[in-house]
Amino acid sequence: SQLLPTSSNQSKHLKSRIGRFEDDPAEKNTETGNKQSSLQACVAGLQERVELMDTRFEKINDSLNWIMAAITRVKMAKDNPPYIENPKIEDLPLLIQCATEPRFDPIKVQVSALEILLSLTFKNEAGTLLLQNNTFIQHLRTLVSNSDTPYLQKAADGILWQLFSKHETKHQFEYDVMISYSHKDNDICHRIYKTLTARDFRVWIDLEGMHGAVMQVMANAVKQSRCILICMSESYYLSPYSQSEAQFAFEKQRVLIPIKVQSGYKPDGWLAFLTSGRIYVDFMKTDFNAAFDKVVSEIASSRADEKDSSLILLRSNKSETSTIK
């Protein structure tokens, strides 16, 4: 509504004037000779201008319709920004305009635009185009450093992390397991966390729902954890923050342990791809204690696999040393 009123009102006014010129014989008859020709040329020019404005209006309207559909996904996801399917790369300039111009409301417009852009960064083409926009990148960095709106900071930080992810070096794990989950699934996930810590497992979890620049914190948690519990639900799937965590864990070759925390949920899209070939632990169908024991077994198995890998590597190094001698 903040983008279109001027063009729309101008178009309606010009159409009204054209209609009056065409339909009012008295007005036509008062014009003679060169004046009549001039009037006809004026009408033709007005018609051409209206056609151009209508074409521009339709294109902007199509873009806004798609953006409104994406914003609907934002509202459906509530605390989590949306996972947008079939992104329209040609709408990036309009989204960037909505995300950066101060005339737009920070919460109602800018945050939604940034969260849609965050979803689009999972597509290589969109990420490449955003990386080429130095002004936008600098705007994101300014938001992360100086914004007093936590939701703007969080969205900006998420985009920067997706565009500039870093590599890690080998190290000992600080945590046995990280719990990656949606805060809509607090009850079951917090119960799992408490039960794990009661058994002396070292667990990383975001209990309160962090705001601001959180992506680096999440990345460090993934790097420091041997296993990642992927707590699957519809809200988890819809969140690009969850997708960032899970994909980063997959890229870093962490042990992924998928668990179902929503009754009847079947993983789809990127989540189905990341968890394919793995056995799900279903906390909705199985008794909690029985399901929890399966999770503990998976964690213990990952410890054993790591020791075996270390032993194989040690034997391999010794063999190479003997050969050199």
Side-chain angles (χ1 to χ4, degrees), residues 246-258:
Q247 285 190 337
F248 189 62
F250 179 81
E251 291 169 6
K252 297 306 175 187
Q253 300 181 338
R254 295 298 179 261
V255 177
L256 304 184
I257 304 175

Side-chain angles (χ1 to χ4, degrees), residues 76-87:
M76 287 172 57
K78 292 185 180 178
D79 293 334
N80 296 315
Y83 173 72
I84 306 297
E85 296 178 352
N86 303 320

Side-chain angles (χ1 to χ4, degrees), residues 166-232:
K166 302 259 192 289
H167 296 285
E168 66 166 323
T169 55
K170 297 280 184 181
H171 59 273
Q172 294 296 316
F173 295 113
E174 184 177 349
Y175 302 102
D176 297 307
V177 60
M178 171 187 177
I179 300 179
S180 178
Y181 74 111
S182 165
H183 288 278
K184 284 187 178 181
D185 305 313
N186 276 358
D187 291 345
I188 181 67
C189 294
H190 287 189
R191 184 181 177 187
I192 293 170
Y193 163 71
K194 291 175 182 178
T195 312
L196 281 169
T197 54
R199 294 208 190 176
D200 295 325
F201 285 99
R202 300 168 300 164
V203 185
W204 193 97
I205 187 173
D206 173 21
L207 288 173
E208 302 299 330
M210 294 184 295
H211 295 290
V214 300
M215 295 303 288
Q216 188 62 53
V217 176
M218 292 295 186
N220 289 337
V222 170
K223 292 177 181 181
Q224 295 289 346
S225 301
R226 178 184 292 106
C227 303
I228 313 295
L229 279 188
I230 306 294
C231 301
M232 299 186 299

Side-chain angles (χ1 to χ4, degrees), residues 2 98-99 101-113 152:
Q2 296 180 48
C98 292
E101 293 191 3
R103 63 191 173 113
F104 294 113
D105 184 275
I107 299 299
K108 293 181 179 178
V109 179
Q110 291 182 6
V111 169
S112 294
L152 282 176

Side-chain angles (χ1 to χ4, degrees), residues 189-318:
C189 294
H190 287 189
R191 184 181 177 187
I192 293 170
Y193 163 71
K194 291 175 182 178
T195 312
L196 281 169
T197 54
R199 294 208 190 176
D200 295 325
F201 285 99
R202 300 168 300 164
V203 185
W204 193 97
I205 187 173
D206 173 21
L207 288 173
E208 302 299 330
M210 294 184 295
H211 295 290
V214 300
M215 295 303 288
Q216 188 62 53
V217 176
M218 292 295 186
N220 289 337
V222 170
K223 292 177 181 181
Q224 295 289 346
S225 301
R226 178 184 292 106
C227 303
I228 313 295
L229 279 188
I230 306 294
C231 301
M232 299 186 299
S233 67
E234 181 69 16
S235 57
Y236 186 88
Y237 169 71
L238 287 173
S239 169
Y241 295 119
S242 298
Q243 184 180 1
S244 294
E245 289 177 25
Q247 285 190 337
F248 189 62
F250 179 81
E251 291 169 6
K252 297 306 175 187
Q253 300 181 338
R254 295 298 179 261
V255 177
L256 304 184
I257 304 175
I259 65 175
K260 288 187 179 181
V261 295
Q262 177 183 335
S263 181
Y265 176 71
K266 294 182 179 180
D268 191 19
W270 65 266
L271 186 54
F273 172 77
L274 286 186
T275 57
S276 64
R278 293 177 170 84
I279 299 175
Y280 303 153
V281 180
D282 195 337
F283 275 82
M284 297 294 100
K285 284 187 176 180
T286 311
D287 172 74
F288 178 88
N289 291 329
F292 180 82
D293 286 342
K294 291 181 181 179
V295 170
V296 170
S297 176
E298 290 294 321
I299 297 173
S301 177
S302 73
R303 284 174 168 173
D305 290 342
E306 185 182 10
K307 288 179 181 179
D308 290 344
S309 298
S310 300
L311 184 58
I312 291 171
L313 180 61
L314 178 62
R315 287 173 177 171
S316 175
N317 290 339
K318 285 182 176 180

